[in-house]
Amino acid sequence: MFAHWIALDPGSNSLRLYDYFNDREVCLKTCIAYDKQKMIAMAEQALAYVYQNKKDIKVRYPIKQGDILNDITPLIRQALKELKVSQNVFKPCFLVCLNEDVSDEQKLKWQQQLAACKVRKVEFITPMEVLQTEQACFIIHAGHSYTEMGIYAHGHEFAHKIIYFGGMGMDEKIKMTIAQKQNCLISNEDASALKEAVSQAFKMNKNPMLQCMAMDRYGKLVNIQIRASDLWPAMEEQILQVVLWAKHCYMNMGSEMKQRLMNNGIMLSGGLANCFGLKEALKHEFDCPIICTTKPECDIIEQMKGLK
């Protein structure tokens, strides 16, 4: 029986979908704005409500570490609409990439919410299954809400670890730094933008004064400024944790496997892979090639394209 398959990489920052049949791809910001219980905007349009000073308006981020925290059906329906998937004849089937820590209860929730979007069948796959190669490989997938790493050779797993350090952790630490230094609150989106600005500045060996909007203690929007170097400790802490756990996985390998891994290099993917400091820290610790594509945040969906 004909099956219309859709690949889904459900990140806590972005949802990426690929339509195998029509060779189309779509990416949506993983957020929804609500006024009380009524949805008023989703994806990029929801960001306009981040600084709405109204207690009934909330911007929610419905996915974290692969778990569904709030209703995701509006985002899935919008993605299917943008992919131009017709459900009149064949209901789509979804191949969903979730990390190994996602519980059976959560997988059932994924199945139920996708079924509500008229999805006929759901299959699951893990990032490590998507990314691993036949040869000995050391994979580090550093995402927004978690980092997953593993060592594999010829289909066998020799090490695997999931740590809850990633881009989201950096954003939270940046928000805390702003609160301590400026006595103001900033949004998740502004924290993420500051993180990106620091990363880009340091890559150019610069230390600029950065600025963004914030909410002061009186509930008023103000413009604040902060030096890029003042935010670096908030980012470095997450990077050092990734390197620490990568070293732990590697140290448990035998000498022959270590040599094979160092010859092949470390495969680095995920949204955090392009952040300043991570590749450099891994290179310094392991002294081997760090293999990273130009768009590592898209590596999962790109690899999933060859699975159906």
Side-chain angles (χ1 to χ4, degrees):
M1 182 178 178
F2 178 81
H4 188 155
W5 282 96
I6 307 289
L8 170 60
D9 176 20
S12 55
N13 183 63
S14 299
L15 288 176
R16 290 183 171 84
L17 295 91
Y18 173 72
D19 182 346
Y20 290 94
F21 183 74
N22 294 307
D23 189 26
R24 293 195 187 104
E25 188 175 339
V26 67
C27 178
L28 298 178
K29 189 75 175 174
T30 314
C31 60
I32 303 176
Y34 291 89
D35 186 348
K36 294 183 179 178
Q37 298 301 316
K38 181 183 178 182
M39 188 195 74
I40 53 177
M42 72 178 81
E44 294 291 339
Q45 289 70 36
L47 301 183
Y49 296 90
V50 167
Y51 280 122
Q52 287 280 344
N53 194 15
K54 298 177 181 179
K55 66 178 183 179
D56 290 333
I57 294 181
K58 303 291 183 184
V59 177
R60 296 176 182 167
Y61 299 82
I63 299 174
K64 183 178 181 181
Q65 298 161 4
D67 291 347
I68 296 177
L69 306 180
N70 302 108
D71 185 18
I72 62 165
T73 56
L75 288 168
I76 299 298
R77 291 191 180 102
Q78 179 61 29
L80 291 173
K81 181 179 178 181
E82 292 188 21
L83 286 171
K84 299 179 181 178
V85 174
S86 173
Q87 296 176 299
N88 294 330
V89 181
F90 298 106
K91 293 182 179 180
C93 303
F94 267 55
L95 179 62
V96 184
C97 188
L98 298 176
N99 75 69
E100 289 186 19
D101 274 4
V102 174
S103 66
D104 290 339
E105 181 181 354
Q106 274 291 326
K107 287 180 180 178
L108 178 60
K109 187 176 288 188
W110 276 101
Q111 290 171 327
Q112 291 170 337
Q113 294 214 15
L114 290 172
C117 299
K118 298 182 179 180
V119 172
R120 180 171 64 86
K121 181 181 180 182
V122 180
E123 291 182 3
F124 298 101
I125 194 168
T126 69
M128 296 294 103
E129 289 175 315
V130 171
L131 295 171
Q132 67 180 272
T133 60
E134 192 64 21
Q135 65 181 357
C137 57
F138 190 174
I139 304 166
I140 299 177
H141 181 67
H144 187 61
S145 59
Y146 70 95
T147 295
E148 186 169 3
M149 58 188 71
I151 295 174
Y152 303 88
H154 306 294
H156 296 288
E157 179 180 286
F158 291 86
H160 178 260
K161 185 68 180 178
I162 295 176
I163 57 173
Y164 295 102
F165 293 90
M168 182 184 293
M170 286 187 181
D171 296 347
E172 290 300 321
K173 292 291 184 180
I174 287 172
K175 289 166 66 176
M176 290 173 59
T177 300
I178 297 292
Q180 292 166 358
K181 292 182 176 293
Q182 305 276 356
N183 200 24
C184 290
L185 300 176
I186 64 171
S187 69
N188 294 330
E189 300 306 322
D190 280 317
S192 182
L194 287 172
K195 173 183 66 188
E196 179 66 22
V198 171
S199 181
Q200 292 302 318
F202 284 4
K203 286 178 181 178
M204 296 184 290
N205 199 29
K206 295 181 179 180
N207 183 25
M209 188 70 76
L210 306 174
Q211 61 181 0
C212 73
M213 298 302 296
M215 193 85 69
D216 69 13
R217 59 180 177 172
Y218 303 108
K220 295 182 179 180
L221 284 178
V222 294
N223 189 282
I224 62 168
Q225 293 185 328
I226 190 166
R227 186 70 65 183
S229 57
D230 290 336
L231 297 177
W232 173 243
M235 300 168 62
E236 185 181 32
E237 179 181 332
Q238 305 290 306
I239 289 170
L240 293 178
Q241 285 293 329
V242 173
V243 175
L244 173 67
W245 284 103
K247 183 178 179 181
H248 178 74
C249 287
Y250 173 77
M251 291 305 293
N252 290 327
M253 297 299 105
S255 58
E256 182 181 348
M257 176 62 83
K258 286 180 180 178
Q259 188 60 53
R260 292 165 66 191
L261 293 172
M262 292 304 97
N263 289 341
N264 294 334
I266 294 174
M267 299 167 58
L268 179 62
S269 65
L272 197 62
N274 271 336
C275 181
F276 175 85
L278 182 53
K279 287 194 287 283
E280 293 80 0
L282 288 168
K283 177 70 175 177
H284 179 267
E285 183 64 42
F286 293 96
D287 191 25
C288 73
I290 308 299
I291 303 162
C292 186
T293 65
T294 56
K295 295 181 69 177
E297 66 276 12
C298 299
D299 283 353
I300 292 287
I301 202 70
E302 286 297 321
Q303 291 299 315
M304 290 179 76
K305 289 178 181 180
L307 297 181
K308 289 292 182 182

